[in-house]
Amino acid sequence: MKQGLDRDPDRLMRAILSRAPVGIAVIDYDGHYISVNPAYADLYGYTIADMLGESFLMVFPEEARASVLVRHQDFLDNGTYLGGEWTVVRRDGSKRIIWSNSASFPSGSGRLDRLVYVLDITEHKKAQEQERIASTVYQTTSEAIMVSDADNKIAAINPAFTRLTGWSQAEVEGRDLRMFRSDRHDEAFYAEIWRTLEAEGYWAGELWDQRKDGEYYLRETTLTVVKDALGKVKSCVSVFSDITERKAAENLIRWQANYDSVTGLPNRHMFGDRLAQGARQAADSGKMMALLMIDLDRFKEVNDTLGHTTGDRLLGEVADRLRECERSGDTIARIGGDEFALILNGISDAGEVEAIAKDVLRRFETSIPVDFEQVFITASIGISLFPKDTQSLEELLRNADQALYAAKGAGRNCLYFFTSALQRAASVRMRLASDLRQAIADEQFIVHYQPVIDLKSGLITKAEALVRWQHPTRGLVSPGTFIPLAEETGLIVPLGDWVTRQAIAEVARCRNLFIPDLQIAVNQSPVQFRSNDFSGFGWMAELARHGLTGQAISIEITEGLLLHAEPQVMQKLIAFRDAGIEIAIDDFGTGYSSLAYLRKFDIDTLKVDRSFVSDLEGAGLDICEAIIGMAHRLGLSVVAEGVETERQRDILKAIGCDYAQGFLYAPGLPAEAFEAMLRKQVDGSTGGGVAAHGPQAMSAG
């Protein structure tokens, strides 16, 4: 024996056991630890001293110990198999999964002891579970998955791939990825994808593809390169889904948000954007921008005599004629019922604008064929120049409107440029504005209430407050005259506050006497919301004074207010929402619709514009159905305005509209007449619903 070499077998075995990475223990017949190595003790969180002499059952859950001891002794007595996977408990109470095997050998006492060695397989079991989950996801996900190898050959697909493309595993396995290239993309498109994959290992985007039957579809795709430990490409995973219908719906919404459904022209929303672009272009180029406001003369007579469907077709024909006057870089838009706007960019002098405006008028010199009719119609044009007349787009619009008003007053079928004389005419309106200020002080206003009918029950459940001005010398002044004046002068704030307080008092009275959950809507001007003098907090105090919650009233605002919501507007809307006051969008669908803001501000109700209701026999039906369907999916209720016939009511009810208001039921009524309707409903004399008032109600408005 060489000096220094220890050949003591017991010592050598102890050294091996102490360094072994596998947990090893010796357990006697009664189940006590005779020996454990460090790896065994560490696995359970104990020291060797903690375990020696203790029962090996200490590492098993309480409920399993009796059966484990029986199996231990049965193994030593009969040699039955004792191994496999076990759930054990560490000293800290955490559970682990181990794999073990056992062997028996005789002890000095004449009975057998058991040698057991264990491996902690907890992480391995977790990995197996993750693989099982991944496999389940791969097989059951709705997204198509395709795996290709380093040579771009298809290696595997999941069931969703077959459902989406029509190709089976047998048909695509081993084939080149290029089989899925579409002729809707050029080589440069695919080259850029591969360049991105090589550089970043990932690409995401949209691309066109074809199914097995040749049908094109748009897919949203992610490509991920998988590399081995050495950084060499191992495979590429493609995950994609069919977004054809979703993109079509998004495009439709985008189109509806920016274009007029009747004429296909840009709507008021896009018109605003184009006007701002034109102003920037004029500032950069040093040339002018001209705004032509074009209004069809006596268009209402066409609707009244030939019907709204014919009227819409006429608008489409007018749009086609106006497009003929549109130069490159110009914009023709429909911004109202029969009102169009033409933005001319790059203008050098007013003579150029006049020539184009006269060309527009000439387009109306010949009749327009619509169905079997030859319709003669003319137009009036108001013109304002930027920056010659003003550097404010708001004033530019106002100037063009004043010029249009002058053209109408001059007999129609002509054009007018904005001039200082028109400004003088505006001073007349200022005198009326002065009267308006006095009217507020003298309380010359009265509030009428137009019932809103629940289409399911046929009962009045809501109303809209409508302000009227009883001028001491002019008589009844139209809201269309004094509301714009109130907005321009800022008097809309005290006027709106007075109207709302009147509505609160009325709803308190009507709830107490007639309908406990009646709600009255109050129109709020965008100018009012943007004013620093308006907060709305006084209304909440007024509600509380009458013992009402915020649900007693609702606030009607315009779409444009949401689209261009300044911080102070947002704060006021949020304050109303927090107070429980519902928010309704008035005249919804007329051009400023923004789905994002409907969600952002928790809008409660959409009021479908009367122009769509009046066209329920035509394109208005599709628009109303789309608005109602969208609103209900967003959890919003829908009120149809301007319901004048039983046919309109029946159509609206059939397509799921919630509420209706209009002359079919009643015009705006003084408080006494409105309360009489409620009293009649409560008394049950109407048979459970509000009777249609017909022509008499219409004439009353």
Side-chain angles (χ1 to χ4, degrees):
M1 179 183 297
K2 292 184 179 180
Q3 189 174 1
L5 182 62
D6 187 352
R7 293 188 180 275
D8 181 352
D10 291 337
R11 175 180 289 184
L12 183 61
M13 181 58 65
R14 285 194 297 274
I16 292 173
L17 290 177
S18 67
R19 291 169 174 78
V22 178
I24 301 173
V26 177
I27 304 170
D28 66 17
Y29 183 86
D30 295 323
H32 297 99
Y33 286 118
I34 298 173
S35 173
V36 298
N37 73 341
Y40 189 95
D42 289 344
L43 189 154
Y44 295 105
Y46 293 95
T47 65
I48 293 175
D50 291 332
M51 304 189 82
L52 291 178
E54 298 294 333
S55 170
F56 82 103
L57 297 176
M58 65 187 292
V59 300
F60 287 93
E62 183 71 33
E63 65 274 9
R65 291 177 180 178
S67 62
V68 171
L69 180 60
V70 169
R71 291 189 61 187
H72 162 74
Q73 294 178 341
D74 189 44
F75 167 76
L76 294 178
D77 290 337
N78 304 309
T80 56
Y81 175 73
L82 185 62
E85 296 178 5
W86 306 80
T87 297
V88 296
V89 182
R90 285 173 51 84
R91 184 173 193 169
D92 60 9
S94 62
K95 292 185 177 181
R96 308 291 288 180
I97 299 175
I98 65 162
W99 181 88
S100 73
N101 206 350
S102 299
S104 61
F105 62 93
S107 67
S109 64
R111 292 194 298 182
L112 296 177
D113 292 335
R114 179 165 67 97
L115 174 68
V116 58
Y117 56 93
V118 298
L119 290 173
D120 187 343
I121 61 170
T122 307
E123 298 307 319
H124 174 71
K125 296 295 289 185
K126 288 181 180 179
Q128 282 185 328
E129 179 62 14
Q130 290 298 317
E131 289 179 3
R132 187 192 66 78
I133 293 172
S135 176
T136 301
V137 170
Y138 178 81
Q139 293 295 326
T140 61
T141 181
S142 61
E143 293 185 302
I145 301 175
M146 175 176 63
V147 182
S148 58
D149 61 22
D151 296 323
N152 296 326
K153 296 295 190 293
I154 299 171
I157 61 172
N158 72 338
F161 181 97
T162 300
R163 291 194 299 270
L164 194 153
T165 68
W167 295 96
S168 67
Q169 172 80 25
E171 291 171 318
V172 300
E173 187 173 3
R175 297 183 65 176
D176 195 282
L177 285 175
R178 290 179 177 83
M179 70 176 288
F180 292 110
R181 287 196 174 188
S182 167
D183 56 11
R184 294 197 177 187
H185 301 295
D186 56 20
E187 285 297 322
F189 175 81
Y190 291 106
E192 177 61 21
I193 291 177
W194 288 113
R195 187 201 65 76
T196 303
L197 281 175
E198 290 176 358
E200 303 176 13
Y202 178 83
W203 180 88
E206 299 172 1
L207 54 84
W208 284 97
D209 203 345
Q210 280 181 282
R211 307 187 206 278
K212 184 180 178 181
D213 61 9
E215 178 190 4
Y216 284 97
Y217 69 100
L218 184 64
R219 72 187 214 190
E220 189 173 57
T221 305
T222 61
L223 300 172
T224 305
V225 173
V226 180
K227 297 182 179 181
D228 61 20
L230 300 177
K232 187 177 179 181
V233 174
K234 182 179 179 182
S235 60
C236 181
V237 179
S238 173
V239 180
F240 58 92
S241 57
D242 183 351
I243 60 170
T244 311
E245 292 185 2
R246 191 190 82 192
K247 293 297 289 188
E250 290 175 356
N251 290 337
L252 176 60
I253 292 173
R254 190 177 298 110
W255 189 90
Q256 291 174 336
N258 291 285
Y259 290 91
D260 172 53
S261 61
V262 175
T263 64
L265 293 174
N267 61 16
R268 185 180 291 273
H269 179 208
M270 181 174 282
F271 163 76
D273 290 342
R274 295 286 177 84
L275 195 65
Q277 290 175 17
R280 290 192 295 269
Q281 181 179 329
D284 293 340
S285 66
K287 293 190 175 183
M288 292 187 295
M289 174 183 69
L291 173 60
L292 282 65
M293 301 297 287
I294 306 166
D295 190 80
L296 302 184
D297 300 327
R298 298 186 175 90
F299 177 75
K300 186 176 184 299
E301 295 177 7
V302 176
N303 276 339
D304 291 343
T305 57
L306 301 180
H308 291 286
T309 300
T310 300
D312 281 351
R313 292 189 179 126
L314 175 61
L315 290 173
E317 294 293 333
V318 168
D320 290 341
R321 293 194 178 190
L322 292 176
R323 286 190 183 97
E324 296 172 1
C325 306
E326 188 179 18
R327 308 168 307 161
S328 176
D330 293 343
T331 297
I332 179 71
R334 183 189 178 205
I335 59 175
D338 59 353
E339 191 172 8
F340 298 83
L342 177 57
I343 302 171
L344 304 178
N345 293 309
I347 297 298
S348 300
D349 58 66
E352 187 179 356
V353 179
E354 184 176 3
I356 295 172
K358 288 181 176 179
D359 184 36
V360 170
L361 293 178
R362 281 194 294 270
R363 304 290 170 173
F364 296 92
E365 291 178 354
T366 58
S367 63
I368 300 175
V370 181
D371 295 334
F372 300 104
E373 302 285 345
Q374 292 293 323
V375 180
F376 287 89
I377 196 165
T378 59
S380 301
I381 303 176
I383 306 169
S384 185
L385 304 177
F386 178 95
K388 180 182 176 182
D389 296 332
T390 178
Q391 295 187 21
S392 164
L393 294 182
E394 186 174 346
E395 287 185 9
L396 184 73
L397 287 163
R398 188 159 56 246
N399 292 349
D401 275 332
Q402 289 179 1
L404 176 61
Y405 182 81
K408 291 282 190 182
R412 298 180 172 87
N413 192 28
C414 62
L415 62 91
Y416 256 72
F417 280 86
F418 173 79
T419 64
S420 57
L422 295 179
Q423 286 183 313
R424 287 192 295 272
S427 67
V428 175
R429 296 171 63 230
M430 287 183 61
R431 285 194 292 273
L432 189 59
S434 178
D435 291 346
L436 179 64
R437 190 179 301 275
Q438 189 63 38
I440 294 176
D442 294 345
E443 295 189 356
Q444 297 172 10
F445 295 96
I446 54 176
V447 180
H448 287 184
Y449 301 92
Q450 185 174 34
V452 177
I453 312 302
D454 185 324
L455 285 174
K456 288 184 178 179
S457 66
L459 299 176
I460 301 171
T461 58
K462 303 173 184 285
E464 181 178 356
L466 304 169
V467 65
R468 301 288 184 261
W469 181 9
Q470 189 66 49
H471 194 282
T473 59
R474 298 173 184 265
L476 200 62
V477 181
S478 167
T481 300
F482 71 81
I483 292 296
L485 284 176
E487 290 179 331
E488 290 177 21
T489 58
L491 294 174
I492 193 68
V493 176
L495 176 59
D497 183 68
W498 181 85
V499 171
T500 303
R501 291 176 184 273
Q502 293 296 309
I504 291 173
E506 181 64 20
V507 74
R509 173 178 168 81
C510 292
R511 281 188 166 207
N512 184 49
L513 295 176
F514 309 114
I515 303 176
D517 57 352
L518 181 72
Q519 182 186 79
I520 292 183
V522 184
N523 286 283
Q524 299 300 313
S525 162
V527 175
Q528 185 174 2
F529 261 90
R530 294 186 177 108
S531 173
N532 293 327
D533 296 328
F534 168 71
S535 68
F537 293 123
W539 300 348
M540 301 169 194
E542 189 72 5
L543 286 166
R545 190 173 72 85
H546 285 278
L548 300 173
T549 65
Q551 293 179 339
I553 64 171
S554 70
I555 303 300
E556 292 189 7
I557 60 176
T558 62
E559 299 175 77
L561 183 67
L562 293 185
L563 194 64
H564 305 290
E566 298 88 348
Q568 66 266 34
V569 173
M570 296 171 63
Q571 292 171 3
K572 291 165 186 175
L573 286 172
I574 292 171
F576 285 141
R577 181 190 64 193
D578 292 344
I581 297 175
E582 294 186 359
I583 304 295
I585 304 298
D586 200 12
D587 301 329
F588 185 79
T590 53
Y592 284 90
S593 308
S594 173
L595 303 185
Y597 279 102
L598 294 182
R599 286 184 175 276
K600 181 176 181 180
F601 292 106
D602 289 339
I603 300 302
D604 300 284
T605 303
L606 300 183
K607 300 196 74 173
V608 180
D609 185 69
R610 64 182 64 246
S611 64
F612 301 136
V613 174
S614 66
D615 190 30
L616 281 173
E617 301 289 347
L621 177 60
D622 291 336
I623 296 173
C624 287
E625 282 187 308
I627 292 173
I628 292 168
M630 176 198 70
H632 287 173
R633 284 193 292 274
L634 293 175
L636 281 61
S637 61
V638 181
V639 179
E641 297 182 291
V643 179
E644 298 181 354
T645 68
E646 294 181 359
R647 173 66 175 161
Q648 291 171 347
R649 176 199 62 194
D650 293 342
I651 292 174
L652 289 166
K653 186 175 181 180
I655 63 177
C657 187
D658 303 297
Y659 303 95
Q661 71 180 98
F663 285 167
L664 174 65
Y665 303 102
L669 301 171
E672 297 81 4
F674 174 64
E675 290 178 13
M677 285 191 72
L678 295 182
R679 183 177 295 107
K680 189 176 182 181
Q681 176 175 294
V682 171
D683 291 343
S685 59
T686 61
V690 178
H693 285 59
Q696 290 182 344
M698 295 178 68
S699 63

